[in-house]
Amino acid sequence: MEQTLKITNVLSDPTRYYIYQYITKRHNEVTVQEVADSFNIHPNVARLHLSKLEDVNMLVSETKKTGKGGRPSRLYRLSDDVIQLHFPYRDYQLLSKIAIQTMIKMGDAGKKALFETGKMFGQELIEQQLTSGQNDPRELSFDQKLNILKSAATVAGFYPEFHASEDQTKIYFQIFNCPFKEIAMNQADPICSMHYAFLKGMFESLFQSVELIEKENMTSGCETCTYQAYVTK
């Protein structure tokens, strides 16, 4: 409870909350000066906000040389700690572990069901992002489809980055946050297969054909999960 009170107190300051949001979207380390410039505040004020976030383990920092001469800079990045607030207390992570273990014990049938369910939820997420008048993906332009993918991936908490080839046949994207990371580290095969199906469901809801290739995976020690999709409109 004491840690919960500390976290809620730290995030009660609007500027501090938006600084944390800014860092989550940067996908990179930030300096005090970068934050000060971005929020038009004095560096000492920026340093105070960053220190408060570090005090509750939402950020971590280290001193590094920037290669520009002068003194080393203190760089801040997101902590690997998971911050969860539930009132009253809930343990959904335990529930997910029980559900995953149950599916695995069912053998091939359980794994197939997990894969199919993941794909279904990916499709449903895209359907939720389709606005009125956009119910038929065949009528959407490539850019519209890409924007829907970006929006859906953001809603899913992936902190994504998307890039498309000029001929609009390939989409490269990175996931900087895996919502299933803690469980995936212990159950990489079923969780990553389900996540792959989730993503495949998203793409197949918008494009006529999709070949989805995984390039990098966080469970293998990579900083992000990276994919390349070959698509046809």
PDB file of all heavy atoms in Angstrom, residues 69-84:
ATOM      1  N   GLY A  69      31.899  15.637 -26.032  1.00  0.00           N
ATOM      2  CA  GLY A  69      32.797  16.359 -25.147  1.00  0.00           C
ATOM      3  C   GLY A  69      32.072  16.803 -23.890  1.00  0.00           C
ATOM      4  O   GLY A  69      30.862  16.642 -23.751  1.00  0.00           O
ATOM      5  N   GLY A  70      32.816  17.374 -22.958  1.00  0.00           N
ATOM      6  CA  GLY A  70      32.204  17.841 -21.725  1.00  0.00           C
ATOM      7  C   GLY A  70      31.926  16.709 -20.755  1.00  0.00           C
ATOM      8  O   GLY A  70      32.384  15.576 -20.928  1.00  0.00           O
ATOM      9  N   ARG A  71      31.163  17.048 -19.726  1.00  0.00           N
ATOM     10  CA  ARG A  71      30.864  16.051 -18.695  1.00  0.00           C
ATOM     11  C   ARG A  71      29.886  14.996 -19.217  1.00  0.00           C
ATOM     12  O   ARG A  71      29.041  15.283 -20.074  1.00  0.00           O
ATOM     13  CB  ARG A  71      30.264  16.754 -17.479  1.00  0.00           C
ATOM     14  CG  ARG A  71      31.192  17.765 -16.819  1.00  0.00           C
ATOM     15  CD  ARG A  71      30.484  18.537 -15.744  1.00  0.00           C
ATOM     16  NE  ARG A  71      29.934  17.647 -14.734  1.00  0.00           N
ATOM     17  CZ  ARG A  71      29.146  18.064 -13.722  1.00  0.00           C
ATOM     18  NH1 ARG A  71      28.798  19.341 -13.639  1.00  0.00           N
ATOM     19  NH2 ARG A  71      28.701  17.211 -12.835  1.00  0.00           N
ATOM     20  N   PRO A  72      29.959  13.774 -18.675  1.00  0.00           N
ATOM     21  CA  PRO A  72      28.980  12.743 -19.051  1.00  0.00           C
ATOM     22  C   PRO A  72      27.562  13.179 -18.675  1.00  0.00           C
ATOM     23  O   PRO A  72      27.373  13.918 -17.712  1.00  0.00           O
ATOM     24  CB  PRO A  72      29.424  11.530 -18.233  1.00  0.00           C
ATOM     25  CG  PRO A  72      30.848  11.786 -17.892  1.00  0.00           C
ATOM     26  CD  PRO A  72      30.979  13.273 -17.748  1.00  0.00           C
ATOM     27  N   SER A  73      26.592  12.750 -19.439  1.00  0.00           N
ATOM     28  CA  SER A  73      25.189  13.089 -19.176  1.00  0.00           C
ATOM     29  C   SER A  73      24.487  11.947 -18.462  1.00  0.00           C
ATOM     30  O   SER A  73      24.829  10.775 -18.652  1.00  0.00           O
ATOM     31  CB  SER A  73      24.458  13.392 -20.491  1.00  0.00           C
ATOM     32  OG  SER A  73      24.984  14.530 -21.111  1.00  0.00           O
ATOM     33  N   ARG A  74      23.491  12.316 -17.643  1.00  0.00           N
ATOM     34  CA  ARG A  74      22.658  11.290 -17.021  1.00  0.00           C
ATOM     35  C   ARG A  74      21.490  11.008 -17.961  1.00  0.00           C
ATOM     36  O   ARG A  74      20.739  11.914 -18.333  1.00  0.00           O
ATOM     37  CB  ARG A  74      22.151  11.740 -15.652  1.00  0.00           C
ATOM     38  CG  ARG A  74      21.271  10.685 -14.961  1.00  0.00           C
ATOM     39  CD  ARG A  74      21.199  10.913 -13.468  1.00  0.00           C
ATOM     40  NE  ARG A  74      22.472  10.605 -12.825  1.00  0.00           N
ATOM     41  CZ  ARG A  74      22.843   9.377 -12.460  1.00  0.00           C
ATOM     42  NH1 ARG A  74      22.056   8.326 -12.693  1.00  0.00           N
ATOM     43  NH2 ARG A  74      24.003   9.183 -11.871  1.00  0.00           N
ATOM     44  N   LEU A  75      21.362   9.742 -18.361  1.00  0.00           N
ATOM     45  CA  LEU A  75      20.320   9.328 -19.296  1.00  0.00           C
ATOM     46  C   LEU A  75      19.247   8.537 -18.570  1.00  0.00           C
ATOM     47  O   LEU A  75      19.552   7.648 -17.768  1.00  0.00           O
ATOM     48  CB  LEU A  75      20.929   8.493 -20.423  1.00  0.00           C
ATOM     49  CG  LEU A  75      22.030   9.182 -21.247  1.00  0.00           C
ATOM     50  CD1 LEU A  75      22.580   8.222 -22.285  1.00  0.00           C
ATOM     51  CD2 LEU A  75      21.497  10.432 -21.917  1.00  0.00           C
ATOM     52  N   TYR A  76      18.000   8.835 -18.876  1.00  0.00           N
ATOM     53  CA  TYR A  76      16.857   8.192 -18.228  1.00  0.00           C
ATOM     54  C   TYR A  76      16.103   7.331 -19.238  1.00  0.00           C
ATOM     55  O   TYR A  76      15.941   7.714 -20.402  1.00  0.00           O
ATOM     56  CB  TYR A  76      15.904   9.244 -17.655  1.00  0.00           C
ATOM     57  CG  TYR A  76      16.477  10.047 -16.511  1.00  0.00           C
ATOM     58  CD1 TYR A  76      17.312  11.139 -16.766  1.00  0.00           C
ATOM     59  CD2 TYR A  76      16.200   9.721 -15.193  1.00  0.00           C
ATOM     60  CE1 TYR A  76      17.851  11.880 -15.720  1.00  0.00           C
ATOM     61  CE2 TYR A  76      16.730  10.456 -14.141  1.00  0.00           C
ATOM     62  CZ  TYR A  76      17.553  11.531 -14.413  1.00  0.00           C
ATOM     63  OH  TYR A  76      18.084  12.258 -13.378  1.00  0.00           O
ATOM     64  N   ARG A  77      15.643   6.178 -18.776  1.00  0.00           N
ATOM     65  CA  ARG A  77      14.831   5.296 -19.621  1.00  0.00           C
ATOM     66  C   ARG A  77      13.788   4.611 -18.754  1.00  0.00           C
ATOM     67  O   ARG A  77      13.850   4.656 -17.513  1.00  0.00           O
ATOM     68  CB  ARG A  77      15.704   4.237 -20.310  1.00  0.00           C
ATOM     69  CG  ARG A  77      16.431   3.313 -19.357  1.00  0.00           C
ATOM     70  CD  ARG A  77      17.179   2.210 -20.098  1.00  0.00           C
ATOM     71  NE  ARG A  77      17.981   1.399 -19.198  1.00  0.00           N
ATOM     72  CZ  ARG A  77      17.503   0.401 -18.454  1.00  0.00           C
ATOM     73  NH1 ARG A  77      16.222   0.099 -18.514  1.00  0.00           N
ATOM     74  NH2 ARG A  77      18.308  -0.297 -17.666  1.00  0.00           N
ATOM     75  N   LEU A  78      12.843   3.943 -19.417  1.00  0.00           N
ATOM     76  CA  LEU A  78      11.798   3.231 -18.689  1.00  0.00           C
ATOM     77  C   LEU A  78      12.387   2.076 -17.891  1.00  0.00           C
ATOM     78  O   LEU A  78      13.281   1.368 -18.364  1.00  0.00           O
ATOM     79  CB  LEU A  78      10.742   2.678 -19.649  1.00  0.00           C
ATOM     80  CG  LEU A  78       9.880   3.679 -20.410  1.00  0.00           C
ATOM     81  CD1 LEU A  78       8.895   2.926 -21.281  1.00  0.00           C
ATOM     82  CD2 LEU A  78       9.151   4.607 -19.467  1.00  0.00           C
ATOM     83  N   SER A  79      11.864   1.874 -16.707  1.00  0.00           N
ATOM     84  CA  SER A  79      12.266   0.725 -15.898  1.00  0.00           C
ATOM     85  C   SER A  79      11.630  -0.541 -16.453  1.00  0.00           C
ATOM     86  O   SER A  79      10.587  -0.492 -17.113  1.00  0.00           O
ATOM     87  CB  SER A  79      11.818   0.944 -14.446  1.00  0.00           C
ATOM     88  OG  SER A  79      11.914  -0.246 -13.700  1.00  0.00           O
ATOM     89  N   ASP A  80      12.260  -1.669 -16.184  1.00  0.00           N
ATOM     90  CA  ASP A  80      11.680  -2.956 -16.577  1.00  0.00           C
ATOM     91  C   ASP A  80      10.626  -3.423 -15.585  1.00  0.00           C
ATOM     92  O   ASP A  80       9.933  -4.416 -15.825  1.00  0.00           O
ATOM     93  CB  ASP A  80      12.776  -4.023 -16.686  1.00  0.00           C
ATOM     94  CG  ASP A  80      13.697  -3.786 -17.873  1.00  0.00           C
ATOM     95  OD1 ASP A  80      13.224  -3.215 -18.871  1.00  0.00           O
ATOM     96  OD2 ASP A  80      14.885  -4.165 -17.791  1.00  0.00           O
ATOM     97  N   ASP A  81      10.508  -2.727 -14.453  1.00  0.00           N
ATOM     98  CA  ASP A  81       9.512  -3.100 -13.448  1.00  0.00           C
ATOM     99  C   ASP A  81       8.110  -2.863 -13.992  1.00  0.00           C
ATOM    100  O   ASP A  81       7.856  -1.908 -14.736  1.00  0.00           O
ATOM    101  CB  ASP A  81       9.687  -2.281 -12.170  1.00  0.00           C
ATOM    102  CG  ASP A  81      10.939  -2.679 -11.399  1.00  0.00           C
ATOM    103  OD1 ASP A  81      11.601  -3.652 -11.809  1.00  0.00           O
ATOM    104  OD2 ASP A  81      11.261  -2.015 -10.390  1.00  0.00           O
ATOM    105  N   VAL A  82       7.192  -3.728 -13.618  1.00  0.00           N
ATOM    106  CA  VAL A  82       5.791  -3.584 -14.013  1.00  0.00           C
ATOM    107  C   VAL A  82       5.059  -2.832 -12.907  1.00  0.00           C
ATOM    108  O   VAL A  82       5.073  -3.238 -11.747  1.00  0.00           O
ATOM    109  CB  VAL A  82       5.128  -4.959 -14.245  1.00  0.00           C
ATOM    110  CG1 VAL A  82       3.659  -4.779 -14.620  1.00  0.00           C
ATOM    111  CG2 VAL A  82       5.864  -5.716 -15.339  1.00  0.00           C
ATOM    112  N   ILE A  83       4.421  -1.732 -13.272  1.00  0.00           N
ATOM    113  CA  ILE A  83       3.668  -0.929 -12.313  1.00  0.00           C
ATOM    114  C   ILE A  83       2.192  -1.203 -12.524  1.00  0.00           C
ATOM    115  O   ILE A  83       1.632  -0.925 -13.589  1.00  0.00           O
ATOM    116  CB  ILE A  83       3.944   0.576 -12.492  1.00  0.00           C
ATOM    117  CG1 ILE A  83       5.453   0.857 -12.471  1.00  0.00           C
ATOM    118  CG2 ILE A  83       3.212   1.381 -11.442  1.00  0.00           C
ATOM    119  CD1 ILE A  83       6.124   0.518 -11.169  1.00  0.00           C
ATOM    120  N   GLN A  84       1.542  -1.775 -11.513  1.00  0.00           N
ATOM    121  CA  GLN A  84       0.122  -2.071 -11.609  1.00  0.00           C
ATOM    122  C   GLN A  84      -0.598  -1.529 -10.384  1.00  0.00           C
ATOM    123  O   GLN A  84      -0.154  -1.717  -9.253  1.00  0.00           O
ATOM    124  CB  GLN A  84      -0.125  -3.581 -11.702  1.00  0.00           C
ATOM    125  CG  GLN A  84       0.475  -4.229 -12.945  1.00  0.00           C
ATOM    126  CD  GLN A  84       0.071  -5.675 -13.083  1.00  0.00           C
ATOM    127  OE1 GLN A  84      -1.008  -5.978 -13.555  1.00  0.00           O
ATOM    128  NE2 GLN A  84       0.933  -6.578 -12.659  1.00  0.00           N
TER     129      GLN A  84
END
